[in-house]
Amino acid sequence: MNPGTSRTWWKTPLGVLLTAVMLFPVYWMLNVSFTRDQDMRKSPPDLFPAHGTLEGYRAVLDQQLPYLGTSLVIGLGTVALTVALAAPAGYALAKLRPRGGGIMSFVLLAAQMIPGIIMAMGFYAIYLNLGLLQSVPGLIVADSTLAVPFAVLIFTAFMSGIPGELIQAAQMDGARALRTFWSIVLPMSRNSIVTVSLFAFLWSWSDFIFASTLANGGAHEPITLGIYHYIGNNNQQWNAIMATAVVASLPATVILVLAQRYVAAGVTAGAVKD
């Protein structure tokens, strides 16, 4: 046996053990979602639902679909607004070198340190005057404020690595800045676009602070508020509550699995220079 291998053999089982500990709450959520009401308080509890039931998932389909639909609309709207604002801003900071670009980058970093509850209070005062409380567009704008600063920094880092010769060649052919951005820079920034879109969607999908402050009691509430109300109204039906959590986790999980290779490339873009 290789001496180096004999000294590090324990790392694999330790990694498996730590992973199992971290993922156990997810497993328990799945387990409880299939557990019958009469088996919920067994001692010791069943580690596997021997007498599984789909009652919790039937309750989700009956009561939670409107919340899921609202969250999907808000998530896609947040993605669209974030990319539309952040991609041109990242291109300008990376390639056009405007005056005050360094200050702008610092402001973007500082913006990510502002607590969400403070921003929610500010939005509440503004939306109260504009009539945007309890509205889907209001939540899309609010959620975008969390994603745009991060997105601009990601786009700036990625677009800084695009060869300047390509942009110069486009300019020599008569392309202006907007045409160069649309035809050259944007198609080459696929990884960063996927990364930004994923994080923007996840932030909006899991948002609770903005939702509870700006949309609570409205006709269109996201799934985070749906789960919150469901816990309050059905505190004994834990299989239905956990089934709601499982269903709410599926879109983000599927998107993350499908986009993980683009995310890895997008997050590390600009980290290494030739």
Side-chain angles (χ1 to χ4, degrees), residues 202-226:
L202 292 179
W203 279 329
S204 64
W205 186 268
S206 61
D207 167 65
F208 181 76
I209 294 178
F210 286 147
S212 60
T213 306
L214 306 176
N216 197 6
H220 303 286
E221 295 181 337
I223 188 60
T224 49
L225 285 186

Side-chain angles (χ1 to χ4, degrees), residues 113-129:
M113 303 177 188
I114 301 175
I117 188 61
I118 295 177
M119 298 177 64
M121 292 297 101
F123 274 116
Y124 184 88
I126 295 172
Y127 286 1
L128 187 62
N129 294 326

Side-chain angles (χ1 to χ4, degrees), residues 69-95:
T70 300
S71 283
L72 183 61
V73 171
I74 294 172
L76 295 178
T78 301
V79 168
L81 183 59
T82 299
V83 173
L85 293 177
Y91 171 64
L93 291 175
K95 294 301 183 183

Side-chain angles (χ1 to χ4, degrees), residues 247-269:
V247 174
S249 303
L250 286 178
T253 303
V254 171
I255 292 174
L256 182 60
V257 170
L258 294 177
Q260 59 180 339
R261 65 188 183 96
Y262 300 105
V263 173
V267 169
T268 58

